[in-house]
Amino acid sequence: MRILFITSNRLGDAVISTGVLDALQKRYPAAMFTVVCGPVAAGLFEADPRCERIIIMEKRRHDRHWIDLWRACCRTRWFMVVDLRGSLIGLTLRARRRIIVRGGRRPGRRVEQLGEALGYRRTPMPRVWISEKQRAEAVAVLPEGRWLALGPTANWDGKIWPPERFVELAQALRAENLRPVVFYGPGEGERARAEPVLKALPEALDLGGDKSLGEVAALLQRCALFVGNDSGLMHLAAAAGTPTLGLFGPSRASEYAPAGRLARFVEAPGPEGYAPIDGLGVAAVLKVAKEILREKDVCVPGRRSD
């Protein structure tokens, strides 16, 4: 019994889709899964024991990547094809059942939209898969302590909270015995966006740039709190079970707020989708961060991960 699961090329959307993948695995315990995703999201699924194959789909001119995908999948008789990209490929493969989620934007949280499209009455929450090796390495890097994970980057500059405010927030949270850890993605652009925060917080650990997504998820689980811009890293932190505070300006929290047991968000004042993120003050973020920490302290610890 094989199921083809086609998810997003973007990291944030791929993380959001892990909830429905997990729900499908519980519904069909005998099935093995082939996951199709973009290069940046492939690491999400490497430690999943039910994922027998990952097909990395890289965009090509004239949509030839879809032809490549069809060639990679056409010889298999699938029990089910689940296409979260709303493409036509699910109609062209041999399958007993097909679930095709139409593309485009529509009202409501993306995580709830996916659950409803697959017929789940309760929204399947995103999750992560972590290997024992990754977990052990994370313990060595971040031993016992209260770590504050900061995510000061994003895929476009309009979503980035000013670096000096991340610095001010980290300094204010020293009173909570939190030591900062800075995360960011691969590439010189990501490093350049994180650099002002790293320079202003010499005590911060630099954990960005060169780690797999499973390693990053394991490290995030060691942190008492994550505060960061609307990004794939924010969604990964929430999926890992880390208390998460997402910062929103011109992006839509109503659609992409982090999903998790202790996941919250703060929006800049103004019309949703248009509010400049530099309108979001440190005091507002600090207030919610402290609320999350207080709530965390009275909760029984728990993680939704393997």
Side-chain angles (χ1 to χ4, degrees), residues 175-235:
E176 305 288 335
N177 296 316
L178 291 175
R179 181 181 174 186
V181 179
V182 179
F183 291 89
Y184 52 93
E188 290 301 318
E190 284 279 304
R191 171 71 191 189
R193 292 181 177 96
E195 188 68 26
V197 177
L198 289 166
K199 284 186 175 180
L201 296 173
E203 76 278 18
L205 296 183
D206 181 350
L207 294 182
D210 60 350
K211 293 176 174 56
S212 71
L213 291 176
E215 292 173 320
V216 174
L219 289 164
L220 286 167
Q221 285 194 342
R222 306 288 300 166
C223 297
L225 175 67
F226 171 90
V227 181
N229 304 311
D230 173 24
S231 65
L233 181 62
M234 176 199 71
H235 289 292

Side-chain angles (χ1 to χ4, degrees), residues 26 41 137 163 282:
K26 289 181 171 67
E137 289 173 347
V282 174

Side-chain angles (χ1 to χ4, degrees), residues 76-87:
T76 301
R77 185 181 294 275
W78 301 97
F79 171 74
M80 181 185 296
V81 174
V82 179
D83 181 5
L84 305 184
R85 299 280 300 274
S87 71

